């Protein structure tokens, strides 16, 4: 059971990147995928969640309107399209999988507990430069 991220890199302010999260050892039957990020010296932050059965997506307020998460159950892959990147978006981005739907809120955000997740990727670095 494994998740592998790819697609990170260095981009200028205002640029875009598309991250991928590919699963092996399990299928997206009834799961949700959360994208996290951790900037240097800061705690881990959940930025987006997507439910595999419905493709319902949720976002943190810091990325809403700029990031878009999608899922392809047949390819066992989730994607994070990041647009209008800012310096504060510089971080290591990691995906994690949990059983069931996202814990969404009426406002469009989501919550989670670290104990929800049964597997994590190793992460991919995103650097936004001036």
């Amino acid at each position: 059971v494994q998740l592998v991220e790819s697609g990170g890199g260095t981009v200028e302010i205002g640029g875009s990147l598309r991250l991928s999260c590919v699963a092996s050892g399990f299928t997206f039957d009834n799961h949700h995928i959360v994208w996290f990020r951790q900037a240097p010296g800061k705690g881990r932050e959940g930025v987006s969640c997507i439910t595999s059965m419905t493709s319902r997506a949720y976002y943190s307020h810091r990325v809403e309107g700029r990031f878009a998460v999608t899922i392809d159950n047949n390819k066992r892959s989730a994607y994070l399209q990041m647009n209008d990147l800012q310096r504060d978006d510089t971080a290591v981005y990691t995906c994690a999988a949990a059983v069931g739907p996202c814990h969404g809120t009426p406002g469009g955000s989501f919550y989670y507990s670290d104990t929800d997740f049964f597997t994590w990727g190793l992460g991919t670095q995103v650097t936004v430069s001036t």
Side-chain angles (χ1 to χ4, degrees):
V1 174
Q2 190 178 8
L3 293 171
V4 178
E5 304 92 340
S6 62
T10 300
V11 64
E12 292 184 347
I13 290 175
S16 299
L17 282 173
R18 184 179 188 239
L19 306 183
S20 298
C21 170
V22 180
S24 60
F26 70 103
T27 56
F28 289 171
D29 294 326
N30 179 25
H31 297 89
H32 64 272
I33 301 294
V34 174
W35 282 99
F36 293 91
R37 68 184 181 185
Q38 187 164 16
K42 297 186 178 180
R44 187 172 60 231
E45 172 192 9
V47 297
S48 182
C49 184
I50 187 164
T51 297
S52 65
M53 294 183 69
T54 63
S55 295
R56 179 71 167 92
Y58 302 86
Y59 301 92
S60 76
H61 296 306
R62 293 185 63 191
V63 306
E64 190 172 16
R66 299 188 298 124
F67 290 13
V69 62
T70 56
I71 197 164
D72 186 329
N73 293 330
N74 291 329
K75 294 183 178 180
R76 293 186 286 179
S77 297
Y79 307 96
L80 186 67
Q81 177 67 42
M82 306 185 297
N83 299 323
D84 190 26
L85 284 162
Q86 304 299 313
R87 290 189 66 182
D88 286 350
D89 296 318
T90 294
V92 175
Y93 285 71
T94 304
C95 58
V99 175
C102 294
H103 304 304
T105 69
S109 186
F110 65 100
Y111 60 94
Y112 57 88
S113 169
D114 282 355
T115 58
D116 291 344
F117 304 100
F118 61 88
T119 188
W120 298 74
L122 295 180
T124 185
Q125 176 71 46
V126 171
T127 302
V128 183
S129 64
T130 56

